[in-house]
Amino acid sequence: MELIHRNLLIGIHDALQETFFEKNKYADKVIERLLKSHKKWGSEDRKTVSEIFYNIIRWKKRLEYYMGEGTKPGNIYKMILAYLLWSKTKYKKFEEFEGIKIADILKKLEKNTVPSTAIQHSIPDWLAETLEKELGDNWEKEMIALNEQAPTVLRANTLKTTVRELMDELKEENVESFSLKQYPDAVQLEEKKNVFLTSAFKDGLFEVQDASSQKIGEMLDVQEGMRVVDACAGAGGKTLHLAALMKNKGQIIALDIYEWKLAELKRRAKRAGAHNIETRTITDNKVIKRLQEKADRLLIDAPCSGLGVLKRNPDSKWKIDQEFIDRIKGEQQQILQDYSKILKKGGRMVYATCSILPSENNEQVEKFLENNPDFKLLKDEKIMPSEGYDGFYMALIERLK
Protein backbone atom coordinates (compact mmCIF):
# COMPACT_ATOMS: atom_id res chain seq x y z
CA MET A 1 0.00 0.00 0.00
CA GLU A 2 1.17 3.54 -0.75
CA LEU A 3 -0.18 7.06 -0.34
CA ILE A 4 0.95 9.07 -3.35
CA HIS A 5 -2.10 11.20 -4.27
CA ARG A 6 -2.66 14.43 -2.37
CA ASN A 7 -6.45 14.35 -2.72
CA LEU A 8 -6.50 10.99 -0.88
CA LEU A 9 -4.44 12.50 1.97
CA ILE A 10 -6.84 15.45 2.24
CA GLY A 11 -9.83 13.07 2.20
CA ILE A 12 -8.36 11.00 5.06
CA HIS A 13 -7.56 14.18 7.02
CA ASP A 14 -11.09 15.60 6.68
CA ALA A 15 -12.74 12.27 7.57
CA LEU A 16 -10.59 11.91 10.71
CA GLN A 17 -11.31 15.52 11.69
CA GLU A 18 -15.05 14.86 11.41
CA THR A 19 -14.92 11.54 13.32
CA PHE A 20 -12.78 12.83 16.20
CA PHE A 21 -14.19 16.31 16.68
CA GLU A 22 -17.79 16.50 15.45
CA LYS A 23 -20.63 15.36 17.67
CA ASN A 24 -22.48 12.12 16.79
CA LYS A 25 -20.30 11.42 13.75
CA TYR A 26 -19.51 7.71 13.43
CA ALA A 27 -16.59 6.36 11.41
CA ASP A 28 -18.63 4.00 9.20
CA LYS A 29 -21.00 6.77 8.08
CA VAL A 30 -18.18 9.33 7.68
CA ILE A 31 -16.16 7.05 5.38
CA GLU A 32 -19.29 6.04 3.45
CA ARG A 33 -20.04 9.71 2.69
CA LEU A 34 -16.41 10.43 1.77
CA LEU A 35 -16.25 7.57 -0.73
CA LYS A 36 -19.65 8.49 -2.20
CA SER A 37 -18.49 12.07 -2.80
CA HIS A 38 -15.36 10.90 -4.70
CA LYS A 39 -16.78 8.74 -7.43
CA LYS A 40 -13.64 9.09 -9.56
CA TRP A 41 -11.45 7.26 -7.03
CA GLY A 42 -10.58 3.77 -8.24
CA SER A 43 -10.95 0.62 -6.14
CA GLU A 44 -7.29 0.75 -4.99
CA ASP A 45 -7.68 4.41 -3.95
CA ARG A 46 -10.82 3.60 -1.97
CA LYS A 47 -9.11 0.66 -0.31
CA THR A 48 -6.09 2.81 0.65
CA VAL A 49 -8.27 5.60 2.08
CA SER A 50 -10.48 3.18 4.10
CA GLU A 51 -7.59 1.18 5.48
CA ILE A 52 -5.51 4.19 6.56
CA PHE A 53 -8.59 5.95 8.00
CA TYR A 54 -9.67 2.95 10.11
CA ASN A 55 -6.14 2.06 11.21
CA ILE A 56 -5.49 5.59 12.46
CA ILE A 57 -8.73 5.51 14.48
CA ARG A 58 -7.81 2.05 15.79
CA TRP A 59 -4.27 3.06 16.82
CA LYS A 60 -5.02 6.64 17.91
CA LYS A 61 -3.54 6.38 21.43
CA ARG A 62 -0.38 4.67 20.23
CA LEU A 63 0.07 7.28 17.48
CA GLU A 64 -0.38 10.07 20.06
CA TYR A 65 2.55 8.57 21.96
CA TYR A 66 4.71 8.58 18.81
CA MET A 67 3.64 12.18 18.08
CA GLY A 68 4.33 13.27 21.65
CA GLU A 69 0.93 15.00 21.96
CA GLY A 70 -2.80 14.36 22.10
CA THR A 71 -5.06 14.60 19.05
CA LYS A 72 -6.12 18.16 18.20
CA PRO A 73 -7.85 19.67 15.15
CA GLY A 74 -4.51 21.20 14.13
CA ASN A 75 -2.32 18.07 14.23
CA ILE A 76 -4.20 15.47 12.19
CA TYR A 77 -1.60 15.61 9.39
CA LYS A 78 1.08 14.87 12.00
CA MET A 79 -0.93 11.86 13.14
CA ILE A 80 -1.26 10.61 9.56
CA LEU A 81 2.49 10.97 9.08
CA ALA A 82 3.19 9.12 12.36
CA TYR A 83 0.98 6.29 11.10
CA LEU A 84 2.71 6.16 7.70
CA LEU A 85 6.13 5.99 9.38
CA TRP A 86 5.04 3.36 11.93
CA SER A 87 3.32 1.15 9.32
CA LYS A 88 6.17 1.69 6.82
CA THR A 89 3.67 2.86 4.20
CA LYS A 90 5.26 4.48 1.15
CA TYR A 91 4.19 8.13 0.80
CA LYS A 92 5.02 11.34 -1.06
CA LYS A 93 6.46 14.33 0.81
CA PHE A 94 3.25 16.37 0.66
CA GLU A 95 3.32 20.06 1.57
CA GLU A 96 0.92 19.26 4.47
CA PHE A 97 3.81 17.40 6.16
CA GLU A 98 6.21 20.37 6.03
CA GLY A 99 7.47 21.54 9.41
CA ILE A 100 6.67 18.24 11.20
CA LYS A 101 9.71 16.98 13.13
CA ILE A 102 10.07 13.48 11.71
CA ALA A 103 13.22 12.80 13.80
CA ASP A 104 11.23 12.92 17.07
CA ILE A 105 8.74 10.36 15.77
CA LEU A 106 11.46 8.10 14.38
CA LYS A 107 13.38 8.19 17.69
CA LYS A 108 10.35 6.73 19.51
CA LEU A 109 9.72 4.18 16.76
CA GLU A 110 13.34 2.98 16.96
CA LYS A 111 12.94 2.28 20.69
CA ASN A 112 10.25 -0.26 19.77
CA THR A 113 8.69 -0.05 23.25
CA VAL A 114 5.73 1.82 24.69
CA PRO A 115 5.18 2.91 28.33
CA SER A 116 1.92 1.04 29.08
CA THR A 117 -0.40 -1.75 27.93
CA ALA A 118 -3.13 0.87 27.29
CA ILE A 119 -0.81 2.57 24.76
CA GLN A 120 0.33 -0.78 23.35
CA HIS A 121 -3.25 -1.84 22.57
CA SER A 122 -4.41 1.72 21.90
CA ILE A 123 -7.29 2.00 24.35
CA PRO A 124 -8.19 4.55 27.05
CA ASP A 125 -6.59 3.87 30.47
CA TRP A 126 -9.99 3.35 32.13
CA LEU A 127 -10.88 0.67 29.54
CA ALA A 128 -7.62 -1.23 30.10
CA GLU A 129 -8.49 -1.31 33.82
CA THR A 130 -12.08 -2.45 33.18
CA LEU A 131 -11.04 -5.22 30.78
CA GLU A 132 -8.36 -6.49 33.16
CA LYS A 133 -10.79 -6.44 36.08
CA GLU A 134 -13.53 -8.31 34.18
CA LEU A 135 -11.54 -10.67 31.92
CA GLY A 136 -8.42 -11.25 34.03
CA ASP A 137 -5.24 -12.31 32.26
CA ASN A 138 -7.10 -13.00 28.98
CA TRP A 139 -7.88 -9.35 28.35
CA GLU A 140 -4.77 -8.63 26.27
CA LYS A 141 -5.39 -11.64 24.00
CA GLU A 142 -8.88 -10.30 23.30
CA MET A 143 -7.59 -6.75 22.76
CA ILE A 144 -5.06 -8.00 20.19
CA ALA A 145 -7.95 -9.65 18.31
CA LEU A 146 -10.11 -6.52 18.56
CA ASN A 147 -7.38 -4.46 16.88
CA GLU A 148 -7.47 -6.66 13.78
CA GLN A 149 -9.57 -5.84 10.74
CA ALA A 150 -12.95 -7.59 10.76
CA PRO A 151 -13.64 -10.07 7.96
CA THR A 152 -16.70 -9.42 5.76
CA VAL A 153 -19.33 -12.09 6.38
CA LEU A 154 -22.67 -12.27 4.58
CA ARG A 155 -25.83 -14.16 5.53
CA ALA A 156 -27.43 -15.85 2.56
CA ASN A 157 -31.12 -14.89 2.49
CA THR A 158 -32.71 -18.36 2.40
CA LEU A 159 -36.05 -16.83 1.38
CA LYS A 160 -34.45 -16.26 -2.04
CA THR A 161 -31.29 -18.35 -2.39
CA THR A 162 -28.89 -20.89 -0.88
CA VAL A 163 -25.28 -20.50 0.27
CA ARG A 164 -24.03 -22.36 -2.80
CA GLU A 165 -26.13 -20.30 -5.24
CA LEU A 166 -25.07 -17.04 -3.55
CA MET A 167 -21.37 -17.95 -3.85
CA ASP A 168 -21.84 -18.74 -7.56
CA GLU A 169 -23.73 -15.47 -8.09
CA LEU A 170 -20.99 -13.45 -6.34
CA LYS A 171 -18.28 -15.21 -8.34
CA GLU A 172 -19.96 -14.03 -11.55
CA GLU A 173 -19.55 -10.49 -10.20
CA ASN A 174 -15.84 -11.08 -9.39
CA VAL A 175 -16.40 -11.48 -5.65
CA GLU A 176 -14.64 -14.59 -4.31
CA SER A 177 -16.09 -16.18 -1.16
CA PHE A 178 -16.26 -19.37 0.90
CA SER A 179 -18.79 -21.01 3.23
CA LEU A 180 -18.29 -21.51 6.99
CA LYS A 181 -18.84 -24.97 8.49
CA GLN A 182 -20.27 -23.95 11.86
CA TYR A 183 -22.62 -21.34 10.36
CA PRO A 184 -25.30 -22.75 8.02
CA ASP A 185 -26.15 -19.49 6.20
CA ALA A 186 -22.77 -17.70 6.31
CA VAL A 187 -20.53 -16.74 3.39
CA GLN A 188 -17.18 -15.03 4.00
CA LEU A 189 -15.44 -12.86 1.42
CA GLU A 190 -11.85 -13.68 0.43
CA GLU A 191 -11.08 -9.96 0.54
CA LYS A 192 -12.91 -6.72 1.27
CA LYS A 193 -15.17 -5.64 -1.59
CA ASN A 194 -18.04 -3.16 -1.87
CA VAL A 195 -20.75 -5.83 -2.08
CA PHE A 196 -23.51 -3.21 -1.98
CA LEU A 197 -22.84 -2.50 -5.67
CA THR A 198 -23.58 -6.11 -6.69
CA SER A 199 -26.85 -7.17 -8.29
CA ALA A 200 -26.92 -10.00 -5.70
CA PHE A 201 -27.34 -7.32 -3.02
CA LYS A 202 -29.88 -5.30 -4.99
CA ASP A 203 -31.91 -8.49 -5.53
CA GLY A 204 -31.95 -9.16 -1.77
CA LEU A 205 -29.93 -12.38 -1.88
CA PHE A 206 -27.91 -11.52 1.23
CA GLU A 207 -27.37 -9.23 4.21
CA VAL A 208 -24.00 -8.29 5.67
CA GLN A 209 -24.07 -9.95 9.09
CA ASP A 210 -21.13 -11.21 11.16
CA ALA A 211 -20.92 -14.96 11.78
CA SER A 212 -21.27 -14.54 15.58
CA SER A 213 -24.40 -12.44 15.14
CA GLN A 214 -25.98 -15.19 13.02
CA LYS A 215 -25.85 -17.55 16.01
CA ILE A 216 -28.41 -15.46 17.89
CA GLY A 217 -31.30 -16.16 15.51
CA GLU A 218 -30.37 -19.86 15.52
CA MET A 219 -30.41 -20.01 19.34
CA LEU A 220 -33.92 -18.54 19.54
CA ASP A 221 -35.20 -21.68 17.76
CA VAL A 222 -38.14 -20.00 16.01
CA GLN A 223 -40.71 -22.17 14.20
CA GLU A 224 -43.04 -21.44 11.31
CA GLY A 225 -46.34 -19.93 12.48
CA MET A 226 -45.04 -18.55 15.80
CA ARG A 227 -45.53 -15.03 17.10
CA VAL A 228 -42.05 -13.61 17.67
CA VAL A 229 -41.13 -10.23 19.15
CA ASP A 230 -37.77 -8.59 18.42
CA ALA A 231 -37.74 -6.04 21.24
CA CYS A 232 -34.66 -3.97 20.25
CA ALA A 233 -34.83 -4.50 16.49
CA GLY A 234 -32.84 -1.49 15.30
CA ALA A 235 -32.38 -1.59 11.52
CA GLY A 236 -33.32 -5.26 11.59
CA GLY A 237 -30.31 -7.45 10.79
CA LYS A 238 -31.45 -10.15 13.21
CA THR A 239 -35.17 -9.56 12.47
CA LEU A 240 -34.57 -10.45 8.81
CA HIS A 241 -32.70 -13.59 9.86
CA LEU A 242 -35.70 -14.64 11.99
CA ALA A 243 -38.05 -14.04 9.03
CA ALA A 244 -35.90 -16.35 6.87
CA LEU A 245 -35.74 -19.02 9.61
CA MET A 246 -39.57 -18.86 9.85
CA LYS A 247 -39.89 -19.09 6.04
CA ASN A 248 -42.14 -16.00 6.12
CA LYS A 249 -44.79 -17.91 8.12
CA GLY A 250 -46.12 -16.56 11.40
CA GLN A 251 -45.63 -13.04 12.71
CA ILE A 252 -42.61 -11.00 13.78
CA ILE A 253 -43.24 -7.77 15.67
CA ALA A 254 -40.15 -5.55 15.47
CA LEU A 255 -39.93 -2.92 18.19
CA ASP A 256 -37.53 -0.01 18.64
CA ILE A 257 -37.49 3.42 20.25
CA TYR A 258 -36.15 4.97 17.01
CA GLU A 259 -38.63 5.34 14.17
CA TRP A 260 -35.87 5.97 11.58
CA LYS A 261 -34.27 2.61 12.36
CA LEU A 262 -37.58 0.82 11.80
CA ALA A 263 -38.02 2.72 8.51
CA GLU A 264 -34.66 1.29 7.41
CA LEU A 265 -35.81 -2.18 8.54
CA LYS A 266 -38.91 -1.85 6.31
CA ARG A 267 -36.73 -0.97 3.30
CA ARG A 268 -34.46 -3.94 3.97
CA ALA A 269 -37.41 -6.29 4.51
CA LYS A 270 -38.89 -5.27 1.16
CA ARG A 271 -35.60 -6.01 -0.61
CA ALA A 272 -35.26 -9.34 1.23
CA GLY A 273 -38.83 -10.41 0.42
CA ALA A 274 -39.64 -10.78 4.16
CA HIS A 275 -43.41 -10.30 4.45
CA ASN A 276 -44.15 -11.41 8.02
CA ILE A 277 -42.64 -8.40 9.84
CA GLU A 278 -44.69 -5.66 11.49
CA THR A 279 -42.86 -2.64 12.98
CA ARG A 280 -43.97 -0.73 16.07
CA THR A 281 -42.19 2.29 17.55
CA ILE A 282 -41.95 2.25 21.36
CA THR A 283 -43.39 5.66 22.18
CA ASP A 284 -44.48 4.74 25.72
CA ASN A 285 -44.91 1.75 28.06
CA LYS A 286 -48.34 0.94 26.60
CA VAL A 287 -46.68 -0.53 23.48
CA ILE A 288 -45.00 -3.16 25.70
CA LYS A 289 -48.04 -3.67 27.95
CA ARG A 290 -50.27 -4.49 24.98
CA LEU A 291 -47.94 -7.36 24.12
CA GLN A 292 -47.83 -8.95 27.60
CA GLU A 293 -47.90 -12.77 27.46
CA LYS A 294 -48.46 -12.68 23.67
CA ALA A 295 -45.12 -13.98 22.29
CA ASP A 296 -43.89 -17.55 21.74
CA ARG A 297 -40.37 -16.21 21.28
CA LEU A 298 -38.70 -12.96 22.34
CA LEU A 299 -35.36 -11.54 21.25
CA ILE A 300 -33.74 -8.92 23.48
CA ASP A 301 -30.65 -7.74 21.60
CA ALA A 302 -29.89 -5.27 24.37
CA PRO A 303 -28.12 -1.92 24.03
CA CYS A 304 -24.57 -2.42 25.31
CA SER A 305 -21.00 -1.07 25.37
CA GLY A 306 -20.27 -2.63 21.93
CA LEU A 307 -16.85 -3.79 23.16
CA GLY A 308 -17.20 -7.08 21.26
CA VAL A 309 -17.39 -5.29 17.91
CA LEU A 310 -14.42 -2.89 18.13
CA LYS A 311 -12.94 -4.64 15.06
CA ARG A 312 -15.58 -2.95 12.92
CA ASN A 313 -16.37 0.09 15.11
CA PRO A 314 -12.95 1.17 16.47
CA ASP A 315 -14.12 4.75 17.04
CA SER A 316 -16.56 3.67 19.77
CA LYS A 317 -13.71 3.10 22.26
CA TRP A 318 -13.01 6.86 22.08
CA LYS A 319 -16.69 7.80 22.42
CA ILE A 320 -17.72 5.78 25.49
CA ASP A 321 -16.58 5.96 29.14
CA GLN A 322 -17.08 4.02 32.37
CA GLU A 323 -20.08 6.18 33.25
CA PHE A 324 -21.72 5.15 29.96
CA ILE A 325 -21.14 1.44 30.71
CA ASP A 326 -22.57 1.80 34.23
CA ARG A 327 -25.64 3.55 32.84
CA ILE A 328 -26.17 0.97 30.08
CA LYS A 329 -26.05 -1.86 32.65
CA GLY A 330 -28.98 -0.24 34.46
CA GLU A 331 -30.88 -0.04 31.16
CA GLN A 332 -30.15 -3.70 30.37
CA GLN A 333 -31.64 -4.86 33.68
CA GLN A 334 -34.68 -2.61 33.20
CA ILE A 335 -35.27 -3.92 29.66
CA LEU A 336 -35.00 -7.54 30.88
CA GLN A 337 -37.53 -6.87 33.65
CA ASP A 338 -40.03 -4.98 31.47
CA TYR A 339 -39.81 -6.85 28.18
CA SER A 340 -39.69 -10.40 29.61
CA LYS A 341 -43.40 -9.97 30.43
CA ILE A 342 -44.08 -10.15 26.66
CA LEU A 343 -43.41 -13.94 26.78
CA LYS A 344 -46.23 -16.46 27.09
CA LYS A 345 -45.87 -19.17 29.76
CA GLY A 346 -43.66 -21.84 28.19
CA GLY A 347 -42.22 -19.27 25.77
CA ARG A 348 -38.49 -18.69 25.32
CA MET A 349 -36.34 -15.62 24.97
CA VAL A 350 -32.75 -14.83 24.06
CA TYR A 351 -30.91 -12.05 25.87
CA ALA A 352 -27.94 -11.01 23.73
CA THR A 353 -25.26 -8.31 23.66
CA CYS A 354 -22.24 -7.52 21.49
CA SER A 355 -20.17 -7.00 24.63
CA ILE A 356 -17.44 -9.18 26.15
CA LEU A 357 -17.89 -7.90 29.74
CA PRO A 358 -19.40 -10.46 32.16
CA SER A 359 -21.08 -7.55 33.99
CA GLU A 360 -23.21 -6.89 30.88
CA ASN A 361 -23.72 -10.56 30.11
CA ASN A 362 -24.02 -13.59 32.41
CA GLU A 363 -24.08 -11.38 35.52
CA GLN A 364 -27.14 -9.55 34.15
CA VAL A 365 -28.86 -12.88 33.47
CA GLU A 366 -28.01 -14.18 36.96
CA LYS A 367 -29.41 -11.01 38.53
CA PHE A 368 -32.60 -11.27 36.45
CA LEU A 369 -33.13 -14.95 37.37
CA GLU A 370 -32.63 -14.21 41.08
CA ASN A 371 -35.44 -11.66 40.92
CA ASN A 372 -37.67 -13.73 38.60
CA PRO A 373 -37.94 -17.36 39.81
CA ASP A 374 -40.56 -18.14 37.13
CA PHE A 375 -37.78 -17.98 34.48
CA LYS A 376 -35.07 -20.58 33.90
CA LEU A 377 -31.76 -20.47 32.02
CA LEU A 378 -31.60 -23.25 29.41
CA LYS A 379 -28.15 -22.44 28.00
CA ASP A 380 -25.82 -19.57 27.26
CA GLU A 381 -22.84 -18.97 25.02
CA LYS A 382 -20.07 -16.40 24.92
CA ILE A 383 -18.09 -15.86 21.73
CA MET A 384 -14.79 -14.05 22.18
CA PRO A 385 -13.11 -11.91 19.49
CA SER A 386 -10.01 -14.16 19.61
CA GLU A 387 -12.17 -16.89 18.01
CA GLY A 388 -12.06 -14.87 14.78
CA TYR A 389 -15.39 -13.06 14.60
CA ASP A 390 -17.24 -10.47 16.71
CA GLY A 391 -17.52 -10.87 20.47
CA PHE A 392 -21.09 -11.75 21.53
CA TYR A 393 -23.01 -13.18 24.46
CA MET A 394 -26.38 -14.93 24.25
CA ALA A 395 -28.56 -16.67 26.83
CA LEU A 396 -31.67 -18.80 26.15
CA ILE A 397 -34.24 -18.38 28.94
CA GLU A 398 -37.62 -20.08 29.35
CA ARG A 399 -40.69 -18.69 31.11
CA LEU A 400 -42.04 -21.45 33.32
CA LYS A 401 -45.31 -19.95 34.62
Side-chain angles (χ1 to χ4, degrees):
M1 182 169 294
E2 48 187 31
L3 186 61
I4 50 175
H5 300 297
R6 185 164 173 259
N7 63 347
L8 302 188
L9 171 72
I10 292 166
I12 294 165
H13 171 275
D14 294 352
L16 288 168
Q17 191 95 354
E18 199 179 330
T19 306
F20 288 144
F21 300 109
E22 290 187 32
K23 211 171 184 270
N24 299 324
K25 291 294 175 81
Y26 296 94
D28 56 343
K29 298 294 177 209
V30 170
I31 194 75
E32 194 183 306
R33 275 197 305 277
L34 175 69
L35 297 177
K36 261 186 190 164
S37 63
H38 290 82
K39 291 196 165 52
K40 286 181 181 172
W41 287 353
S43 59
E44 279 307 308
D45 291 340
R46 304 169 97 75
K47 194 176 164 188
T48 299
V49 167
S50 296
E51 204 164 305
I52 293 174
F53 169 74
Y54 271 114
N55 277 339
I56 288 173
I57 292 170
R58 201 170 272 128
W59 296 105
K60 173 177 172 275
K61 192 179 179 79
R62 193 167 178 146
L63 295 172
E64 286 173 337
Y65 167 68
Y66 294 141
M67 286 158 60
E69 57 185 312
T71 314
K72 299 190 285 279
N75 66 7
I76 298 290
Y77 282 118
K78 187 177 182 180
M79 182 174 252
I80 296 170
L81 183 56
Y83 170 74
L84 297 173
L85 292 166
W86 176 51
S87 61
K88 296 185 168 63
T89 302
K90 189 182 169 191
Y91 67 94
K92 268 192 176 172
K93 291 181 169 54
F94 301 107
E95 61 188 74
E96 285 75 11
F97 294 156
E98 281 171 21
I100 297 171
K101 290 179 181 167
I102 289 182
D104 295 352
I105 298 170
L106 290 173
K107 197 188 269 183
K108 282 187 174 165
L109 286 171
E110 278 158 21
K111 275 186 186 169
N112 207 21
T113 58
V114 291
S116 71
T117 49
I119 291 171
Q120 186 186 338
H121 301 300
S122 189
I123 51 173
D125 294 331
W126 71 265
L127 184 52
E129 286 167 26
T130 297
L131 289 170
E132 187 169 14
K133 189 173 117 195
E134 296 220 19
L135 301 178
D137 293 342
N138 282 334
W139 82 272
E140 287 193 74
K141 176 182 154 191
E142 297 311 326
M143 212 46 243
I144 288 165
L146 285 169
N147 276 326
E148 289 165 2
Q149 200 177 31
T152 304
V153 180
L154 316 178
R155 178 182 57 75
N157 176 15
T158 53
L159 293 174
K160 291 189 170 190
T161 190
T162 64
V163 164
R164 186 70 258 167
E165 286 168 1
L166 175 61
M167 285 164 65
D168 292 343
E169 190 90 20
L170 290 169
K171 193 174 180 134
E172 279 181 30
E173 301 191 59
N174 297 317
V175 179
E176 295 293 337
S177 61
F178 55 93
S179 58
L180 300 173
K181 266 190 190 145
Q182 312 292 306
Y183 307 87
D185 301 330
V187 169
Q188 184 169 325
L189 301 194
E190 294 276 8
E191 58 175 61
K192 272 210 174 326
K193 284 268 174 90
N194 188 355
V195 286
F196 300 117
L197 300 174
T198 62
S199 54
F201 176 73
K202 288 164 189 160
D203 296 341
L205 304 187
F206 69 84
E207 293 292 330
V208 176
Q209 186 180 5
D210 187 78
S212 301
S213 171
Q214 294 185 35
K215 283 198 160 188
I216 293 167
E218 300 282 345
M219 185 183 260
L220 194 57
D221 186 30
V222 292
Q223 307 294 329
E224 295 169 34
M226 280 183 170
R227 174 181 271 188
V228 177
V229 174
D230 186 349
C232 310
K238 296 176 189 72
T239 321
L240 296 175
H241 190 193
L242 296 174
L245 291 168
M246 292 166 74
K247 299 185 177 138
N248 257 341
K249 292 168 185 161
Q251 182 192 26
I252 300 173
I253 298 168
L255 307 174
D256 205 88
I257 56 171
Y258 298 109
E259 202 171 336
W260 64 269
K261 287 188 180 182
L262 295 176
E264 174 64 13
L265 191 162
K266 280 185 195 170
R267 277 196 294 277
R268 290 172 75 182
K270 192 176 176 186
R271 189 181 61 237
H275 310 306
N276 62 339
I277 299 168
E278 179 195 328
T279 61
R280 295 184 195 176
T281 310
I282 301 170
T283 47
D284 53 36
N285 287 342
K286 286 178 193 160
V287 178
I288 306 299
K289 278 186 177 157
R290 282 190 207 107
L291 287 168
Q292 280 190 9
E293 297 194 24
K294 296 272 171 65
D296 301 295
R297 295 284 186 270
L298 169 66
L299 173 58
I300 299 177
D301 182 19
C304 70
S305 63
L307 292 174
V309 293
L310 290 180
K311 283 182 190 187
R312 64 189 73 255
N313 299 323
D315 54 323
S316 65
K317 62 186 172 184
W318 312 121
K319 295 183 191 293
I320 62 170
D321 53 24
Q322 188 61 52
E323 194 184 314
F324 170 82
I325 291 179
D326 294 340
R327 190 173 71 249
I328 213 89
K329 286 194 283 203
E331 282 179 32
Q332 288 163 353
Q333 199 53 232
Q334 194 65 53
I335 286 169
L336 263 170
Q337 289 294 342
D338 295 348
Y339 292 13
S340 58
K341 297 180 177 76
I342 289 171
L343 266 189
K344 290 176 182 173
K345 292 170 182 69
R348 292 176 174 188
M349 69 176 181
V350 163
Y351 168 80
T353 77
C354 56
S355 174
I356 53 174
L357 300 181
S359 63
E360 292 186 82
N361 296 337
N362 53 301
E363 290 174 21
Q364 290 286 38
V365 171
E366 285 155 22
K367 196 171 172 185
F368 170 76
L369 294 172
E370 272 169 33
N371 297 324
N372 298 272
D374 46 344
F375 287 82
K376 179 177 102 174
L377 176 68
L378 299 178
K379 60 177 176 178
D380 69 349
E381 185 177 357
K382 64 173 183 186
I383 306 168
M384 299 305 274
S386 58
E387 293 170 48
Y389 298 102
D390 286 342
F392 265 93
Y393 172 81
M394 55 202 86
L396 182 64
I397 300 165
E398 185 171 33
R399 182 170 188 177
L400 302 171
K401 54 186 180 181

